[in-house]
Amino acid sequence: MNGLQFEALLPYTLLAAASLVVILLIAFRLSHTVIQITGFILMCAVMVALLQASALLPVAIYPIFQIDGFALLFTGLLVLCVMVVGLFSFIYFEEREENPKEYYILLFLGTLGAAVLSISSHFISLFIGLELLSVSLYALIAYLRNRNNAVEAGIKYLVLAAISSAFLLFGMAMIYMETGSMEFATIAKKLQTSNGHSILFITGTGMMVVAIGFKLALAPFHLWAADVYEGAPTPVTAFIATASKIGVFAVLLRFFQTIGLSNYPMVITVFLVLAVASMIIGNLLALRQQNLKRLLAYSSIAHFGYLLVAFLPGNAAGVQVAVFYLLSYSITLLIAFGVITLLSSREQDTGDLALFRGLFWKKPVTAAVLTLALLSLAGIPLTGGFLAKFFVLATGAQQQLWFPVTVLVITSVIGLYYYLRVISTLFGEAVPTPVKKTLHPFFYLTTYTSLIVMVVLLCWLGTFPNDVIEYINRQLLIR
Amino acid sequence: MIGFLINGLLRKQLSKSLTSILGSGVILGSFVVSLLIFFQVKQGHTAVVNLFDFISVGKLSIPFSFQVDQLSSIFLLIITGVGFLIHVYSAAYMHEEEGQHYARYFAYLNLFVFSMLLLVLGSNYVIMFIGWEGVGLCSYLLIGYWFKNIDYTNAAKKAFVMNRIGDLGFLLAIFWIIGKFGTVSYGNLFEQVAANAKTLEGSAAIVGITLLLFIGATGKSAQIPLYTWLPDAMAGPTPVSALIHAATMVTAGIYMIARSNILYTLAPFTNTIVAIIGLATALFAATIAIKQNDIKKVLAYSTVSQLGYMFLGLGVGAYTGAVFHVMTHAFFKALLFLGAGSVIHAMHHEQDIRRMGGLKKYLPITHLTFLLGCIAIAGIPPFSGFFSKDEILAAAYAANPVYWVIGVITAGMTAFYMFRLYATTFLGQFRGAEHLHGHHPHESPAAMTIPLIVLAILSVIGGWVGIPEVLMKDAHSLEHFLDPIFAASSKFAHPHHLSHSTEYGLMGASVLLAVILIFFAIGRYSKRPELGEPTGFGKVLANKWYVDELYNAIIVKPLNWIGKFLNNFVERDVIDWTVNGVGKVISYSSRQVRLLQSGQVGSYVLLMVLGILAFFVIQFFVKK
């Protein structure tokens, strides 16, 4: 490893260091506030390091890492998500029974795992990153260990994740057997010569898809999503919904871009079925949902179905669209979960829709923010969600993938119903739900501010996306 | 626009005087600007001012830009000048309204002027269409101003719907233009057309486009068959009738055709249609006007008739003549309407002329200005109406002597019914005593009479910008001014030249006929005004040839029937059933799928494995 590689790896080193710093801070018995602020500063430092590293790209740390513009985009997105999640965590955990300090260790380790996924170009780093992410999540989900919901959710996630990891390893072993290497580029070369229709490769990919499908909550591997989203603490749910999926999607994109997805129509078919099934099932499940957290879980299923439609063509335009979509989707979900965090009381997370009734009349700003986030999820124009969905549609239509595009349109329409149902609940008759605020108002203020900033970002994405798209394009070209 | 916003939004707070000053003030400002623009343009500075890109799709680019040239500046002056006078007049006329309705009136009026300005200033058909729709909307709002009366709102609806039918033609024309030429900007379009004139002349595209545009014009400018809304529109306040239905909105159609003159020159077939319809409308409306008893209705039919003249002028290629007549008509028709308003105001909202009479001594200023307006419209030299009407008639004769004959007959009728109106209203005995409970009517306040005077002066001298060659050399300044607009057209037109003696003869004939009929009308109606109901053929005329009833039977009733049928059968049984059905199916599926979420990890694992198996099966089935 030479100096250049070290410099390029700096952000990730900093991420790892963050966890260590937090451990040290805990050892010195410093307060939650200090840890929170330090964590936030460290994440900012990671961003700065990323920006600095961007000048050096692309750097390959053969054979396991490839740090390029693509990685930069995804890592940046990840860190942003984690910063916001950390912000939410503060007011959430401060009031809860558990000691919140160790939470941050796990959070940063999970982020590190996701970040490693985004730079990995080798099966080993893929697996390590994935496991790092998963193990952190096991503990994070069940963090509030005295609540039944949480433990149940944690166990479910553990069991299903373990199964999917097993499938992943088996699939990777098969591909290794076929090509003799675990590094993406070499695999691609070997597959080209052997004409890629070998049984081993196809079975191997099929098995890997299990793990990917599980992590991204794609049907039929989606069954954990609702229970886990509901049972986990809200900031953790936000983390699962955004950061973990971003990381896994990054490596998925990278792997299939390297081996050239368009050469393997069978793999494309698998993803097509995944996408269509997710879109349909996600939307159908959410239709009658009365709990906002479960509803958002089901809608995530559907959204990743939509995203896969952009992924199917396997060309550069698709990647660009996918990144944009992930960006707007993350912002939207963070807003939604932020609102839920703000409204949660000590005993129980505010998930039930009945508790949201008439929110507009009591807290108009919060309700407006949530409404905008839901509109973005539904794909209403002027929000980032609309443009993202539009681009996905355009990419699909360009490649003449008429079946998934039609399903996308139809299911979006179905989806509109439950989003609007939530919005109309917000405007309903007011129901008194006292939420005691016990912390210093500064923290609530920061959370509100971050929510509003994100809403503004979302609307900006929805109306003037050109700058962002150009930036994404430029970064993607650095490989 | 600013006036509209302020008056419209603050209407509950503003006092009456503030409202009227604001409303009129902004128009005055516009007028001043229009004057400045006019002088610039006179020196030859025309411009196209691009504001922003309105629609930009593929190869089609429609900018939101204004075109300031001779034609638009003339119309600008007319609109803002006459508009300003009418605003001042309204301040006094509408005085009885309470605060917020007063402000509403001025708000609508300002919005109307805004839309009209947009119409004439636009540099492409799309902007014109925006203004077109805007004036249609304001016409609806203002006709139905006293919305508590259901008859009035029905009239407003009728106006709007008939306008809409015409608008459809306009829209289709725009689409065709885009399809065929790829641009709607006047500059680009006319250049293209001029360059390809030989191939385009008489082609289906040009004829089609011009016909569709003309359909739009018939709706807006009240020609056969879409004219019946105009007389009903008299339900609105009189200044509204003056502004919208005499001087400006109805002339939008003329403006459109004048602007598109090169297209029309290349489509002689359409020109003939335009001329014939214009002529027919002129004649038809004049016959109805002879037997009307409501002051405003007479003037309304007179407007329809004069508009017919303008279209006749356009149809025979006398573009300048038509625009000239727009100008002079704006003066004397606005004058006549405002005068009628003054009479109505003095008679406490009585509009039936059979209950007036002898107003000459009670309303001196109104009487004098009204008389001047009547003389102008009858086409007696040296008043303005003579010059503009004559120019059209001369061109009509050159195109086809039959046109001229019918035109002169109509001119005669115009003189006749106008002076019938004048005589019945102002001469003879005062018959309105019982309506006014024994009081005498008195003259209107200055805010109303001053605009009357100004317009009267304009009606007298306004024609002197267009003195034809036969009478004075090189005196047709209007024609010189408008040359650049019609230059391209005149290259392809087949101009007709008349000898001087023919022109003198024509002029003399029409003036003579008019004078004879004027004296006949005065003589007859001042002594023995028609007080009873009309009988026989007169009844047909008075009932407008039963056209409204015809339309009702042919169009309105069947449409209503279709509407009911569609509602009962199609809407309820077919569509509702389908939509509700879809909803039920989805709901059901949702319930079933949800049952899979049992909460048992074991079942989750089972389903995952089943999914994997399914994938393998699919993969192996997709083998080539």
Side-chain angles (χ1 to χ4, degrees), chain A residues 4 8 53-61 66-70 477-479:
Chain A
L4 186 63
S54 66
L56 310 166
L57 304 172
V59 173
I61 303 175
Q66 164 85 2
I67 307 174
D68 53 9
F70 179 86
L477 288 174
I478 309 175
R479 18 190 43 246

Side-chain angles (χ1 to χ4, degrees), chain B residues 549-595:
Chain B
E549 286 76 5
L550 189 68
Y551 281 172
N552 213 8
I554 294 182
I555 297 176
V556 177
K557 283 212 173 61
L559 274 178
N560 273 342
W561 184 85
I562 292 181
K564 277 209 198 84
F565 170 71
L566 284 175
N567 183 36
N568 289 337
F569 176 59
V570 176
E571 173 81 14
R572 261 189 246 141
D573 297 334
V574 176
I575 296 183
D576 276 350
W577 179 85
T578 318
V579 172
N580 286 342
V582 169
K584 285 207 190 89
V585 166
I586 306 253
S587 217
Y588 174 74
S589 344
S590 163
R591 247 175 292 147
Q592 301 308 343
V593 176
R594 190 216 148 277
L595 289 175

